[in-house]
Amino acid sequence: MFALRRIGLRLLLGVAVLWGAATLTFVAVFIIPGDTALLILGGPDARPTQEAIAQVRADYLLDQPFIVQYFHYLGNLLQGDLGQSYRLRIPVAEAIGQQLPSTAALAGFAALLAITLTVAVALASAQRRPWIRAIVSSAEVFLASVPSFVVGFALLILFAFTWKLLPSSGTAGFPSLILPAATLALILFGPLSQVLRNELEEVLEQPFVLTARARGLSDFAVRIRHALRHAAIPTVTMSGFIVGGLLGGSVITETLFSRQGIGGLMLASVYNKDLPVILGVVLLSAAVYVVVNLLVDLLYTSIDPRVVTA
Amino acid sequence: MTAEGTIASITEAPGKSGFRAVTDAISRSRLRGIRPGVALSWAFIATLAVASLAPSLLAPGDPLEVDPTRTFIAPGAAHWFGTDESGSDVYTRIVHGAGASLVIGITATVIGLLIGIAVGLTAGLGNRLVEASIMRVLDVTLAVPELLLALVVIGIIGGGTINAILAIGAGGVAYYARIVRAQTHKVRSATYVEAARTLGFSRSKVVFRHVLPNAIKPVLILATIGIGGAIGAGASLSFLGLGTPRPRPSGVRCSRSAATSSRTHPG
């Protein structure tokens, strides 16, 4: 009962965030100077006639006051209509829908890789000799602080150009997914592993770990069966933030590896000032953020049932 | 570590044999004296400072030099990092671009910090309605990843160095504002603030003399870390072709043309 009410509240807050994102971007677009009608017709280079401009103004309600345009936009949004792309001349939802599968595959595989790597490395390196931890921790800090395209470029040089093991670009098939997903995963891995190891080291000091060891459990079993669960909550919180940001990371990765996807769509829209598509991607990203954080919230209760009563 | 410190740590280790304790203490004091990580960091900062203040000391060549007969030379003695598609020396361009990257990182952080402090202070001192509305707007910007937020800002106001700085700065506002607001809440009920109010100081004097200086410490520390992130974000935007335009060298801008040219000119 409580859980249901909490989910309902969170969903409501999520809708408020989406509404806020739509409003903020709409207001920003409205107050920044620039002729939207001209943009729709292909920019000043297209040299549209005065009649064409007037026609577009009337069609897109650009001659109406702000409040009319805003409510018209919100009304459309409520019906799931994100508007028409200026550049592609297709509905924004369709443009996003075309690119979403390849980005989702990239982000999903990257998240899977990152989680596997984080858990494996943190489990293996927690409470080990100082020099082991120093090496692992330096690698993590390094990965967390270099821009993603540097990591991607290094992978590209090694695996695609030097050893010629994997394709350097494209969206076809699983092999072309490996390098971009590994790039994203390595970036995610840095901060996550730091948090998980710190937490694990604290947990491994706890009395119940000693009890488990006294019962004759092996070190490996203690780590997997007891410590990991207790150390998971902060890492899960953090992965919520980071996975929510994968869409931003995909812009770089997709460009570097010439992959299709939301990142490329966003970039092309920014170059061409295709505002409806920009707005659509912002809403998508906000929606992903809301959903991921809701999932994280639900995950807490399955990791630690005491969270519900708290 | 001083000699007294070494002796102290020997006497403090009663369980160990004398010899072990001495070697341990020595190795510990050695490590503390020249920690390799710290030394490396300082060396890097020094190199960066020289690169931004006097790039010609590290790279005497001309970063803008174009020579169509020397395009795509592999890294070697003459060109440490090779040459790019217009025959410019990549190493020279990177060194000469370091200053620009540093300027982008620092200005973007300062802009984000100033706006963040103003917004956070307003939220922390304002009435409930003001605070709630500011915090919800911040929530919304937090829901959009920083790089995406920067792209949106550039999508609306256009590209270029200055706009890129503004776009990156905008990404930091929400983080700084949230911390300043939390700190303000803590500080505003402190006894010294109450005392200042009781003494009859004007509101602005209390805010700027007492609340602000005590509320911004944690956010300043965060901002120094943020500079690195801002440099990375600037590099990312340049990589996407939305930052510093081509003739001027900008740190890692070269890597994008490198990625494309490695495909056309493998090996």
Side-chain angles (χ1 to χ4, degrees), chain B residues 54-124:
Chain B
S56 308
L57 284 182
L58 292 173
D62 177 9
L64 300 182
E65 193 191 339
V66 171
D67 184 350
T69 61
R70 303 181 315 178
T71 56
F72 299 120
I73 295 175
H79 301 281
W80 290 0
F81 293 170
T83 60
D84 65 8
E85 77 273 14
S86 32
S88 311
D89 182 59
V90 173
Y91 168 73
T92 310
R93 286 182 67 79
I94 288 178
V95 170
H96 284 259
S101 298
L102 213 57
V103 167
I104 290 182
I106 293 174
T107 16
T109 309
V110 169
I111 289 174
L113 191 61
L114 288 180
I115 302 176
I117 290 175
V119 171
L121 212 56
T122 316

Side-chain angles (χ1 to χ4, degrees), chain B residues 26-50:
Chain B
I26 288 173
S27 69
R28 236 179 300 148
S29 67
R30 274 249 178 91
L31 277 178
R32 244 171 244 169
I34 34 155
R35 262 201 299 207
V38 175
L40 261 179
S41 315
W42 278 110
F44 182 70
I45 291 171
T47 318
L48 205 61
V50 174

Side-chain angles (χ1 to χ4, degrees), chain A residues 294-308:
Chain A
L294 185 65
L295 289 179
V296 163
D297 222 33
L298 293 178
L299 210 57
Y300 287 156
T301 40
S302 66
I303 294 174
D304 186 349
R306 291 171 302 179
V307 172
V308 178

Side-chain angles (χ1 to χ4, degrees), chain B residues 138-226:
Chain B
L138 293 185
D139 279 349
V140 170
T141 61
L142 281 176
V144 182
E146 261 170 283
L147 185 66
L148 218 53
L149 196 67
L151 283 180
V152 173
V153 172
I154 288 176
I156 294 170
I157 64 176
T161 307
I162 293 174
N163 288 353
I165 290 175
L166 289 176
I168 298 163
V173 169
Y175 294 94
Y176 299 133
R178 285 175 72 100
I179 296 169
V180 170
R181 168 187 161 265
Q183 281 299 111
T184 309
H185 271 285
K186 224 160 82 183
V187 172
R188 73 174 177 189
S189 50
T191 38
Y192 56 84
V193 171
E194 232 167 86
R197 244 188 238 137
T198 323
L199 286 172
F201 285 134
S202 71
R203 191 176 159 80
S204 64
K205 202 166 180 184
V206 172
V207 168
F208 288 106
R209 285 274 289 278
H210 298 281
V211 177
L212 183 61
N214 289 296
I216 58 173
K217 221 175 272 167
V219 91
L220 288 183
I221 296 168
L222 196 74
T224 53
I225 303 169

Side-chain angles (χ1 to χ4, degrees), chain A residues 75-115:
Chain A
N76 281 345
L77 212 54
L78 279 178
Q79 295 162 29
D81 181 5
L82 291 166
Q84 190 98 12
S85 161
Y86 295 165
R87 181 178 57 101
L88 302 167
R89 316 236 161 233
I90 54 171
V92 171
E94 201 182 312
I96 290 180
Q98 285 170 359
Q99 307 293 335
L100 197 56
S102 87
T103 299
L106 174 65
F109 188 48
L112 194 73
L113 273 180
I115 291 168

Side-chain angles (χ1 to χ4, degrees), chain A residues 32 161 168 256 271 273 282 285, chain B residues 140 145 152 156 240 255 262-263:
Chain A
I32 300 294
F161 300 142
S168 68
L256 183 61
Y271 286 135
K273 285 205 161 209
V282 168
S285 137
Chain B
V140 170
V152 173
I156 294 170
L240 296 172
S255 56
S262 311
R263 252 172 228 130

